[in-house]
């Protein structure tokens, strides 16, 4: 009984109290009453394409709409080929879910200001854009009806799929991007090529991740609590990532050019051989 009591207290302190605290603050904020009254306009966060000819890749995020915004952000991908225009890719919950250029590349999401999770420019971005396109085209949940708000596959599951398939992007998904840990298997174990990070997923409902890039993360019903040791920060449900000092960086060291094999994935149930080419 005592162990169960301690477990309940831990879940309360680590997951439920932070989520409730942020939700209490969120409901007091002024928000649009509906999708139609929300502001979806460009913010000027990204430079005009004509003024920035080099290739670029952005992973962006903004709080989602309604009460969901208390717990989760919405993420999307922006590509800009050399001397080309911006291309924005989102997954939404209606119709054909994966959309191209449905919104401005740096547009607000339900009136919420976006921010850049990760950016890459120049030759490195130019090299990776084809791989990102392949990952987008190969996303397995792109048909009508292939959207589940929780635990996934949702908008964040889509972006997580792309960055997992292209590990050289060096993207660490926001801890409050609910759906990023969705996996179609009930039980899946993943590890990086050098075993520096390991992850165990229970279908998106629960999980644990440990390692150099991840730090320590616990997933409970899609809420993530943890600590980043390499780039000191706390990860709290609702709040997301809280830097412990201004010099900390959320960028992954995977963004640097690498010659090693990409991270690999091993499914432990049902038991199969490691699936080469899959990654975090």
């Amino acid at each position: 009984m005592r162990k169960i009591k301690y477990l309940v207290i831990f879940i309360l302190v680590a997951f439920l109290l932070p989520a409730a605290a942020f939700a209490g603050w969120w409901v007091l904020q002024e928000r649009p009453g509906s999708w139609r009254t929300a502001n979806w306009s460009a913010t000027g966060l990204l430079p005009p394409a004509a003024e920035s000819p080099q290739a670029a890749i952005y992973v962006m995020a903004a709080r989602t709409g309604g009460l969901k915004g208390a717990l989760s952000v919405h993420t999307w991908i922006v590509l800009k080929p050399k001397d080309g225009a911006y291309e924005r890719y989102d997954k939404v919950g209606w119709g054909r879910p994966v959309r191209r250029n449905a919104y401005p590349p740096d547009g607000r999401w339900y009136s919420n200001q976006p921010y850049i999770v990760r950016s890459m420019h120049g030759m490195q971005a130019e090299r990776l854009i084809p791989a990102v396109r392949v990952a987008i085209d190969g996303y397995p949940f792109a048909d009508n009806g292939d959207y589940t708000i929780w635990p996934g596959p949702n908008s964040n599951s889509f972006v997580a799929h792309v960055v997992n398939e292209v590990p050289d992007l060096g993207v660490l998904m926001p801890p409050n991007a609910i759906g990023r840990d969705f996996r179609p298997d009930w039980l899946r174990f993943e590890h990086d090529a050098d075993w520096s990070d390991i992850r165990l997923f229970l279908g998106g409902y629960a999980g644990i991740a440990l390692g150099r890039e991840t730090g320590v993360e616990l997933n409970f019903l899609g809420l993530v609590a943890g600590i980043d040791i390499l780039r000191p920060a706390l990860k709290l449900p609702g709040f997301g990532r809280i830097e412990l000092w201004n010099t900390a960086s959320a960028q992954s060291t995977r963004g640097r050019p690498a010659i090693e094999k990409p991270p690999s994935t091993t499914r432990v149930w049902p038991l199969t051989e490691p699936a080469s080419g899959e990654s975090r």
Side-chain angles (χ1 to χ4, degrees):
M1 275 304 283
R2 183 173 296 180
K3 291 181 179 179
I4 295 177
K5 178 182 178 180
Y6 288 154
L7 178 61
V8 170
I9 292 174
F10 175 77
I11 292 173
L12 179 67
V13 172
F15 296 97
L16 301 185
L17 286 181
F22 194 89
W25 173 83
W26 182 255
V27 298
L28 299 177
Q29 306 309 302
E30 184 177 351
R31 299 189 308 278
S34 69
W35 179 89
R36 293 183 181 277
T37 59
N39 184 352
W40 304 89
S41 64
T43 60
L45 184 60
L46 301 182
E51 298 177 9
S52 180
Q54 64 178 341
I57 301 173
Y58 299 91
V59 174
M60 305 188 68
R63 287 279 172 177
T64 190
L67 292 178
K68 300 191 304 293
L71 298 178
S72 183
V73 296
H74 167 84
T75 56
W76 66 92
I77 297 168
V78 177
L79 303 180
K80 186 198 167 297
K82 184 178 180 181
D83 298 319
Y86 286 114
E87 304 169 16
R88 172 171 169 166
Y89 295 88
D90 300 72
K91 183 175 182 179
V92 298
W94 58 92
R96 193 78 175 175
V98 177
R99 304 293 177 88
R100 180 180 182 272
N101 292 338
Y103 309 93
D106 58 358
R108 295 169 177 84
W109 189 257
Y110 278 93
S111 299
N112 297 310
Q113 181 76 13
Y115 65 94
I116 298 172
V117 177
R118 173 75 163 128
S119 64
M120 181 177 293
H121 303 85
M123 293 182 63
Q124 192 175 12
E126 190 173 354
R127 176 177 65 86
L128 292 180
I129 283 176
V132 174
R133 293 191 194 280
V134 169
I136 291 172
D137 292 341
Y139 178 60
F141 301 102
D143 293 328
N144 290 352
D146 281 347
Y147 183 97
T148 303
I149 191 171
W150 178 85
N154 59 21
S155 61
N156 297 319
S157 310
F158 163 67
V159 176
H161 163 82
V162 174
V163 301
N164 291 346
E165 290 294 307
V166 191
D168 280 354
L169 286 173
V171 175
L172 297 176
M173 291 288 288
N176 54 347
I178 292 179
R180 63 166 205 170
D181 293 333
F182 167 79
R183 300 295 187 274
D185 307 316
W186 275 102
L187 181 63
R188 182 183 289 197
F189 174 72
E190 299 179 2
H191 64 85
D192 285 3
D194 58 0
W195 288 81
S196 60
D197 283 77
I198 59 174
R199 296 164 293 277
L200 180 66
F201 301 96
L202 300 177
Y205 297 97
I208 184 171
L210 304 168
R212 181 184 61 204
E213 299 291 342
T214 305
V216 179
E217 287 185 357
L218 299 175
N219 177 333
F220 175 70
L221 299 180
L223 302 175
V224 172
I227 184 169
D228 188 336
I229 300 170
L230 186 63
R231 297 159 296 275
L234 294 177
K235 304 175 186 182
L236 296 177
F239 293 88
R241 181 185 175 90
I242 303 174
E243 306 287 352
L244 296 185
W245 51 77
N246 291 334
T247 56
S249 169
Q251 301 291 357
S252 166
T253 57
R254 290 193 192 126
R256 64 179 184 269
I259 58 173
E260 65 179 0
K261 294 180 181 179
S264 61
T265 298
T266 304
R267 298 180 183 179
V268 296
W269 186 263
L271 186 61
T272 64
E273 292 297 320
S276 61
E278 293 186 0
S279 61
R280 177 171 177 241

